[in-house]
C-alpha cells in the first residue's frame, strides 16, 4: 500500500485526505505515518510495509495520557497494559502539511497491548505527542490515488 500526498483514504464510511507524511528512521527501520484529515477529524495511518502484511495501524492523537520521557517499562491506558515493542532516537522527515511537527529528530517509543492496540509516544524538543490506535485489516481501508 503506497501512500502519497493528496490520496483519499476511505475507512468506515469516511473519506480522509492525506495532507502530510512523516517518515521515521529508527534503528535501521523506516516507519511511515500519513496524516489523514476529514474536517476536524485527524487520524494517522501506518501503511503496509510490504506485500505480505495484512494489517495497517490506525492512530489518533490523545491528550488524556500523561507519561514522562522515557516512559515506564509498561504503560496503563484505558484499562489495558501496554508493553514496549520498539524505541530509540528517530530521524524524521516531513512532507506536506503536518502542524506541530518539523523535520529533525525525536525520541520514539511504541507499545502494544492485547487486542492489537498500540501506543506511540514521541518526545520532540518542545513537547510530547501520544498516539493511540489499533491494527486493522488492510481490506477495511481503501486508498484512492490523488487525481
Amino acid at each position: 500500500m503506497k501512500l502519497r500526498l493528496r490520496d483519499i483514504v476511505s475507512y468506515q464510511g469516511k473519506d480522509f485526505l492525506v495532507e502530510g507524511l512523516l517518515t521515521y528512521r529508527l534503528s535501521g527501520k523506516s516507519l511511515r505515518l500519513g496524516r489523514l484529515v476529514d474536517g476536524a477529524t485527524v487520524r494517522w495511518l501506518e501503511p503496509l510495509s510490504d506485500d505480505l502484511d495484512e494489517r495497517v495501524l490506525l492512530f489518533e492523537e490523545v491528550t488524556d495520557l500523561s507519561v514522562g520521557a522515557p516512559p515506564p517499562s509498561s504503560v496503563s491506558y484505558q484499562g489495558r497494559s501496554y508493553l514496549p515493542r520498539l524505541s530509540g532516537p528517530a530521524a524524521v522527515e516531513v512532507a506536506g502539511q503536518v502542524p506541530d511537527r518539523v523535520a529533525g529528530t525525536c525520541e520514539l517509543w511504541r507499545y502494544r497491548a492485547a487486542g492489537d492496540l498500540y501506543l506511540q509516544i514521541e518526545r520532540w524538543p518542545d513537547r510530547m505527542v501520544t498516539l493511540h490506535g489499533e491494527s486493522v485489516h488492510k481490506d477495511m481501508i481503501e486508498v484512492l490515488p490523488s487525481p
Side-chain angles (χ1 to χ4, degrees):
M1 174 185 295
K2 186 79 171 164
L3 201 58
R4 294 176 304 263
L5 291 174
R6 308 215 34 86
D7 282 351
I8 302 296
V9 175
S10 292
Y11 177 67
Q12 292 186 334
K14 284 190 150 192
D15 290 336
F16 295 88
L17 176 66
V18 178
E19 284 193 350
L21 296 168
L22 295 174
T23 303
Y24 302 83
R25 301 205 190 283
L26 165 83
S27 303
K29 291 182 126 182
S30 182
L31 305 174
R32 197 158 197 221
L33 285 182
R35 182 174 183 267
L36 314 179
V37 178
D38 177 29
T41 304
V42 176
R43 299 284 184 266
W44 297 88
L45 174 67
E46 181 178 284
L48 302 172
S49 57
D50 63 43
D51 292 336
L52 298 176
D53 285 342
E54 290 193 354
R55 302 189 75 77
V56 299
L57 296 180
L58 193 61
F59 293 102
E60 62 184 308
E61 191 167 337
V62 296
T63 58
D64 61 342
L65 175 63
S66 179
V67 293
S73 58
S74 70
V75 175
S76 179
Y77 182 64
Q78 294 184 344
R80 297 190 186 249
S81 291
Y82 290 79
L83 299 174
R85 299 288 291 176
L86 64 90
S87 66
V92 183
E93 299 169 15
V94 178
Q97 297 177 15
V98 186
D100 300 324
R101 304 282 213 307
V102 294
T105 60
C106 76
E107 191 79 19
L108 185 141
W109 296 269
R110 185 171 285 176
Y111 289 75
R112 183 177 179 190
D116 264 352
L117 298 175
Y118 289 83
L119 286 173
Q120 180 163 308
I121 301 167
E122 304 170 9
R123 178 173 61 185
W124 293 85
D126 62 339
R127 67 189 198 114
M128 297 284 290
V129 174
T130 304
L131 304 175
H132 177 256
E134 63 183 334
S135 81
V136 297
H137 194 274
K138 65 182 180 181
D139 291 342
M140 293 179 68
I141 292 182
E142 184 178 10
V143 177
L144 306 168
S146 60

